[in-house]
Structures are given as structure tokens and as C-alpha cells.
Amino acid sequence: GNVTYLNLITQPTMAKHAGAFWGGPYYGVFSWDNKLAGAQLLLSRLRLFLSPGYPYEEILRTFHNQTSIVMCSYLPIFNKFNRTNGGLIELNHGAPQPLQYSVNAAFLATLYSDYLDAADTPGWYCGPNFYSTSVLRDFARSQIDYILGKNPRKMSYVVGFGTKYPRHVHHRGASIPKNKVKYNCKGGWKWRDSKKPNPNTIEGAMVAGPDKRDGYRDVRMNYNYTEPTLAGNA
């Protein structure tokens, strides 16, 4: 029954300062540096499940509309974001390390479809057109399938999944042999620069991913392909 936080988050000034309605090329891109799309989705859930009504309804409806716009932007028909020939959505507009962004979009799309289903709502509107929740699930599945091997290189970008996955992951623990030798602070560089496969398999780690042409170089030194960041894996 404590409405303190609800009062705070439904003040238009907070939304304005957060850039909630500014748009731009990275609007709707849920990332290590921008949690806005996730926050708006949580507020949409609050509206769908609790319907707190006046005086909160107006701003919650606005947030909910923004979530709907974000979900529309993930669909290929709207051309907000390009896709690689293999079907990976380029939320970072062709910049390196794309998988962390596409997997986040898949996560948000799945959550929103779950929320709509739980609220007995069959879908949502993009302008005058109505789309069912299955469209969001299809989008999410397409991105996860790509990451797990349904891509032009027929490889998994999650280490240990399937038989073809990155073997030169840019990661200290995976690339330095497990032995009793002690190294100084700079002793790990020779392992980073080694062309041998990782001596330790970092099971379940998702690497940075391919380039905008679906190309991938399994080279430990090139972190734009082989780095499994904490933020990306989270």
C-alpha cells in the first residue's frame, strides 16, 4: 500500500529527465548503458496487472504506449533496425559486439508477450495494425536460434553448446592453463596472444558475436568477436 515509489515514477518531470520520450536511433535498445526500455516494460506490467487508475493512469498509459512502440520497432516490417543477411537484428547499428543487444531485445519481447497473455490480451497495436503475441515470440526465437547456431556460419555463439563454438574466447580464466606456475601481473599476455585453443572451456558463455556481414573470427586477441562480457551475459 506504500505509493511513494508509484508517485515518484509517475511524475512527468522524471520521465522527461530520463529521456523517456525522446526517440533517436538507440531508443528501445536495452543495454548496459540504458535501462529505459526495461523500466518502461515494468511500468506497462504494473498497468496491465494492477490498473492503479487516477492519478497514475495517464503517465502509465504513456509508458505503456512507449513499450508498444519499442516492440513494433523490433519487427522487420518497420525497418527501424537493419538485419544481417542471416537475420540478426542490428540494434547497435552495425557496431561490434551485437549479440548482447539482440538477446536483450528477445528477452524484453518475450516478457511483454507473457504479460499480455497473462492479462488476457491477444496482442498489441502498431499504428492501425494489430499484431498477436506470437509475432513477438517468433522474433525472440529467431534471435536465440541465430545465437545458438541457425546462422550462416552454422556455429553456436554460446560456448559449449553444440559441437561448433568459439575455442579462442577472450577470457583470462579460460585461456590461461591450470597449473602450479605463478605469473606476475603481465604474465597472462602470452596466453592471450597464443593461437592455441582455450585450455579451459568457459561453459555457457556468450561471446560478443559476428560482424554486420555475419562474419566471425575466432581470434582471442580480437575481443570484438570473442569477448564474453559480464553485462552481455547477464
Side-chain angles (χ1 to χ4, degrees):
N2 185 341
V3 297
T4 304
Y5 296 112
L6 188 58
N7 287 332
L8 182 65
I9 201 64
T10 53
Q11 289 181 10
T13 51
M14 163 135 343
K16 181 180 178 181
H17 291 315
F21 316 123
W22 287 358
Y26 291 96
Y27 190 77
V29 180
F30 188 43
S31 73
W32 63 273
D33 197 34
N34 189 348
K35 309 302 179 191
L36 185 59
Q40 290 180 332
L41 180 62
L42 288 176
L43 293 169
S44 300
R45 166 183 162 156
L46 189 152
R47 180 175 183 249
L48 283 167
F49 292 176
L50 299 180
S51 302
Y54 181 85
Y56 312 110
E57 168 60 18
E58 183 177 358
I59 191 69
L60 288 178
R61 184 174 65 246
T62 304
F63 284 132
H64 192 169
N65 288 341
Q66 294 300 308
T67 295
S68 296
I69 291 170
V70 167
M71 295 301 152
C72 297
S73 74
Y74 294 158
L75 304 184
I77 191 173
F78 292 101
N79 296 317
K80 169 70 185 293
F81 300 103
N82 292 329
R83 279 165 170 71
T84 68
N85 289 335
L88 183 72
I89 188 171
E90 296 184 90
L91 288 117
N92 61 338
H93 301 286
Q97 306 196 14
L99 295 189
Q100 58 185 309
Y101 305 104
S102 59
V103 79
N104 277 346
F107 174 60
L108 294 187
T110 304
L111 278 184
Y112 191 50
S113 67
D114 286 349
Y115 295 163
L116 292 175
D117 285 347
D120 292 323
T121 305
W124 86 112
Y125 280 94
C126 296
N129 300 314
F130 185 82
Y131 293 89
S132 71
T133 54
S134 63
V135 174
L136 286 177
R137 288 201 173 90
D138 288 344
F139 159 73
R141 188 178 295 111
S142 72
Q143 300 306 296
I144 302 305
D145 283 349
Y146 182 103
I147 292 168
L148 295 180
K150 195 174 181 180
N151 56 63
R153 298 188 67 85
K154 301 291 190 291
M155 70 176 292
S156 167
Y157 292 110
V158 175
V159 177
F161 185 87
T163 58
K164 186 179 180 182
Y165 54 82
R167 307 282 178 167
H168 300 80
V169 184
H170 183 93
H171 184 272
R172 282 188 180 88
S175 58
I176 298 178
K178 177 182 169 184
N179 54 39
K180 296 181 180 180
V181 178
K182 291 185 178 181
Y183 303 104
N184 60 30
C185 291
K186 297 181 180 180
W189 293 115
K190 68 176 181 178
W191 304 114
R192 188 205 67 171
D193 299 344
S194 168
K195 294 182 179 179
K196 295 181 180 180
N198 290 101
N200 310 307
T201 303
I202 180 169
E203 294 277 355
M206 184 184 74
V207 296
D211 57 34
K212 59 185 178 181
R213 297 179 180 84
D214 297 301
Y216 182 81
R217 295 186 63 208
D218 192 17
V219 178
R220 193 178 296 108
M221 288 180 66
N222 196 329
Y223 59 86
N224 280 335
Y225 291 108
T226 58
E227 182 181 39
T229 64
L230 286 175
N233 279 268

